[in-house]
Amino acid sequence: IDGNVYICDSACKDRKPRKINIGENCIFVNSNSSSCFAIGRSGCVYEIGKSCCNNVIKNTLPEPAYDVAGTNSFVLAVGISGKVYGKGKVFGGKEFVPLKGFENIKVSRVFGYSDHSAILTEGGLVYSQGKVENGSSELDKLEFILVDKLKGVKVTCIGM
């Protein structure tokens, strides 16, 4: 309500949430098993590592972001134009870059947790990426695959 970000993890004494100093009011917050992400009013994406609340990383994308999600390996963000960006080792570094293969696809949401991620397009199509059923990891490839079984279904949200 007040635009502040609070974290309560295993490092919190007495399990009391800690206020994180982002430097601006935030409009969106998301987290996974290892990090917290916030989007400031400016559209910048902030990363707060687990148990490291004093180490806030500010990321400026080519456009303001309105959605962000992360896995254990990388972070995805959606800009106001519907372009999706990624950051992490599989993207070649510490800056957000446009996601290859999605240059002409308008994205509405991104989702991530642990070793899995998903991209939801404005048309309701779902692309997923992560560990496959036999347990082998596809994270080094970073190949998003269209979920054919959901074609014809207008998906609006994904839980991970």
Side-chain angles (χ1 to χ4, degrees):
I1 294 173
D2 62 4
N4 291 311
V5 175
Y6 297 86
I7 290 182
C8 187
D9 60 15
S10 59
C12 293
K13 293 179 182 179
D14 300 324
R15 301 300 282 173
K16 290 184 179 178
R18 293 175 286 170
K19 183 178 174 182
I20 308 303
N21 185 12
I22 298 292
E24 70 172 305
N25 286 342
C26 291
I27 57 171
F28 183 79
V29 177
N30 199 350
S31 66
N32 64 21
S33 59
S34 60
S35 298
C36 176
F37 310 97
I39 298 176
R41 288 192 184 276
S42 66
C44 292
V45 174
Y46 297 88
E47 297 174 73
I48 305 108
K50 185 176 182 181
S51 304
C52 197
C53 298
N54 295 326
N55 184 22
V56 177
I57 300 168
K58 180 180 180 180
N59 299 278
T60 303
L61 282 68
E63 62 180 311
Y66 75 86
D67 193 24
V68 63
T71 71
N72 291 341
S73 307
F74 59 87
V75 183
L76 297 172
V78 182
I80 59 172
S81 71
K83 184 177 269 191
V84 64
Y85 300 89
K87 175 187 172 184
K89 188 169 73 170
V90 292
F91 293 103
K94 297 180 179 184
E95 301 291 325
F96 277 94
V97 296
L99 189 62
K100 291 180 182 165
F102 286 84
E103 296 89 347
N104 298 314
I105 299 173
K106 281 199 155 209
V107 172
S108 62
R109 300 279 316 274
V110 288
F111 306 89
Y113 192 80
S114 189
D115 295 327
H116 304 277
S117 62
I119 294 174
L120 179 60
T121 70
E122 283 189 356
L125 297 176
V126 176
Y127 291 82
S128 69
Q129 180 276 335
K131 287 194 175 187
V132 293
E133 290 179 23
N134 65 8
S136 65
S137 178
E138 297 292 325
L139 292 174
D140 58 337
K141 287 182 171 181
L142 196 69
E143 181 180 358
F144 283 88
I145 299 167
L146 178 63
V147 181
D148 289 329
K149 293 188 181 205
L150 293 175
K151 277 188 176 177
V153 176
K154 176 79 173 174
V155 177
T156 58
C157 190
I158 301 168
M160 297 200 119

